[in-house]
Amino acid sequence: CACGRRRYWRGPAGGNAQSTAAPTGAARRPDPQDWFHRDVWRREPSRAPVRRRRAAQSLDPAPGQWLVFASGESYERDLLARLDAPYVVFPGPAFRRIDDTRFEVAPGSPADHAALLAALRDAPPDRIVHLWGLAARTGERALQDGLQATMHLIQALVAEGGESPVRIGVASAETEQVLGDERLVPEKVAVLGLCSSVTADYPRLGCFHADILRGELDGDGAWIDLLLRDMADPAVAGARAYRGSYCWTRGLAAFDPRRELAPRPRLRERGVYLVTGGLGGIGLAIAEWLGRTHHARLALVSRTALPPPEQWADVAEAEPHGRLGRALARLVALRDAGIDIVHYAADVTDRAAMAAVVADTTRRFGGLHGAIHAANASTHGAFRMIGQTDASDWARELAPKLHGTRV
């Protein structure tokens, strides 16, 4: 082995280019129960709450050329009034320059976003606020104004090039549950993954996401002060949420599943469970666990059509190293252990096909007690940098996860 059978980790950006050995010893925790963490929200303790009793106390925005993606809503006026000659972009049918500082772009058009930045080359923006996700949207329009528009903006910034840092604040409503009673819109939530990846792919693009309650948008404007403060701090990154006068940040906290996840009888012995993505790594592993621990009766769904059940063992033996052969070998092992299995070839985004699957499963087994949605369509396109992906890549990824969940 050229590396001398040692693992090497990439050093920090801008640091010594020489590789360093991976940490060992004290950094490792031998008990697997110590490996578990969960998302937690913490109210930021390092800053006093924002107070806006009078306009003179409002936070002054950081200097720079601002670009604001606005929807023309009343709650945006105070923010725009406090900025110095910002560019403002509204959603529209196609790229259009309204006047010297106002534009329209089609949210789903990469070409429109590229044309926008080309029009701003004489004074390129270095502070960008994207507010389209705050509007009351659902369904495809929410996906278009949120994930798609933000993706096209990032890709246009990457294509323009440059070395100067750019601060990007993406604000949305209905994307985070912090206090536990917030309403969520799944199509809006999709933008969170993109925002968490931007700075990792392109360090000069300092991006964060802020969730804001729609009911507070037309209030005292505390969210505007919080947003401007975060825009002025280059250290701010990741997921944030504004609740009243406070900012909350997401982090990780260790927890002991032995104490906090006390056994509760949620799964039925001999229950009937439908598993989408049933031939994939995650779906099949869950199916095996359900079968071996609860003797579950399993309805597995995948896009791949299988040969008749009586041929599974022969195909597994003939193709021991192929993906299909390995999956069939595991199904045969479950069947030999006495587990009832039925497989359906269906697309999880096809409502009629999935309705037929549910109906046949119910008829065959006399009921349906749970469903595990593990379908995915990951390809090499899912592992490229943001600037190298296109609409077909993320549409393919979202189809089973987002649209399939709705179905």
Side-chain angles (χ1 to χ4, degrees), residues 45-383:
S46 59
R47 298 170 173 178
V50 172
R51 304 291 185 191
R52 300 196 66 242
R53 294 189 179 94
R54 57 182 182 270
Q57 294 178 328
S58 299
L59 182 72
D60 289 331
Q65 180 59 64
W66 289 77
L67 171 62
V68 180
F69 286 77
S71 299
E73 303 285 349
S74 59
Y75 53 76
E76 300 163 339
R77 295 171 189 164
D78 191 18
L79 171 63
L80 294 174
R82 292 168 60 182
L83 301 178
D84 182 18
Y87 298 127
V88 185
V89 185
F90 301 99
F95 174 73
R96 180 170 74 99
R97 185 164 198 159
I98 302 171
D99 55 33
D100 288 345
T101 60
R102 296 185 301 157
F103 301 83
E104 286 184 353
V105 298
S109 170
D112 280 11
H113 287 78
L116 171 68
L117 293 188
L120 303 180
R121 282 175 186 159
D122 290 341
D126 56 5
R127 299 189 183 280
I128 303 175
V129 176
H130 206 289
L131 303 178
W132 287 357
L134 294 175
R137 302 276 191 260
T138 58
E140 290 300 318
R141 180 64 189 273
L143 190 64
Q144 188 178 74
D145 287 358
L147 175 65
Q148 292 184 24
T150 307
M151 170 77 83
H152 297 326
L153 169 64
I154 300 302
Q155 292 178 326
L157 287 167
V158 171
E160 281 291 303
E163 299 180 358
S164 299
V166 179
R167 288 288 292 158
I168 305 169
V170 180
S172 306
E174 303 161 320
T175 60
E176 301 279 17
Q177 281 197 334
V178 179
L179 305 179
D181 57 354
E182 296 95 332
R183 172 181 180 268
L184 299 180
V185 175
E187 293 84 0
K188 287 189 172 186
V189 176
V191 78
L192 299 181
L194 172 65
C195 292
S196 68
S197 304
V198 171
T199 305
D201 280 1
Y202 307 99
R204 79 178 185 91
L205 304 180
C207 183
F208 68 92
H209 180 272
D211 180 85
I212 306 170
L213 295 177
R214 280 192 49 80
E216 296 180 357
L217 291 174
D218 284 316
D220 65 0
W223 69 272
I224 297 176
D225 277 337
L226 290 167
L227 180 62
L228 292 178
R229 192 165 61 181
D230 283 346
M231 288 293 294
D233 186 350
V236 166
R240 308 174 74 73
Y242 304 154
R243 299 292 183 268
S245 298
Y246 291 92
C247 178
W248 294 68
T249 59
R250 183 200 282 140
L252 294 174
F255 80 104
D256 185 345
R258 293 166 296 192
R259 289 186 308 204
E260 299 190 43
L261 298 179
R264 284 177 283 184
R266 294 182 174 181
L267 297 174
R268 300 192 185 200
E269 192 71 12
R270 290 279 297 163
V272 180
Y273 294 95
L274 184 149
V275 183
T276 65
L279 298 186
I282 295 175
L284 188 50
I286 292 174
E288 288 174 323
W289 181 83
L290 287 170
R292 297 189 188 284
T293 60
H294 295 277
H295 302 93
R297 290 166 288 173
L298 302 170
L300 307 183
V301 180
S302 72
R303 291 172 298 168
T304 302
L306 296 185
E310 60 271 17
Q311 298 178 16
W312 288 359
D314 293 338
V315 175
E317 184 177 356
E319 304 176 20
H321 304 298
R323 182 174 177 271
L324 177 61
R326 293 196 304 269
L328 288 176
R330 294 165 70 177
L331 294 183
V332 169
L334 279 174
R335 190 176 61 186
D336 290 348
I339 307 303
D340 293 330
I341 304 171
V342 61
H343 174 267
Y344 299 97
D347 185 341
V348 296
T349 66
D350 186 330
R351 186 178 296 272
M354 291 306 299
V357 167
V358 171
D360 191 72
T361 299
T362 303
R363 178 193 60 77
R364 183 185 297 264
F365 292 121
L368 179 61
H369 304 119
I372 294 90
H373 185 43
N376 71 82
S378 292
T379 63
H380 291 299
F383 303 100

Side-chain angles (χ1 to χ4, degrees), residues 380-405:
H380 291 299
F383 303 100
R384 294 200 295 258
M385 295 176 70
I386 296 170
Q388 299 170 344
T389 62
D390 57 33
S392 64
D393 291 325
W394 52 255
R396 188 181 306 111
E397 292 294 317
L398 287 178
K401 292 299 183 187
L402 184 59
H403 303 303
T405 301

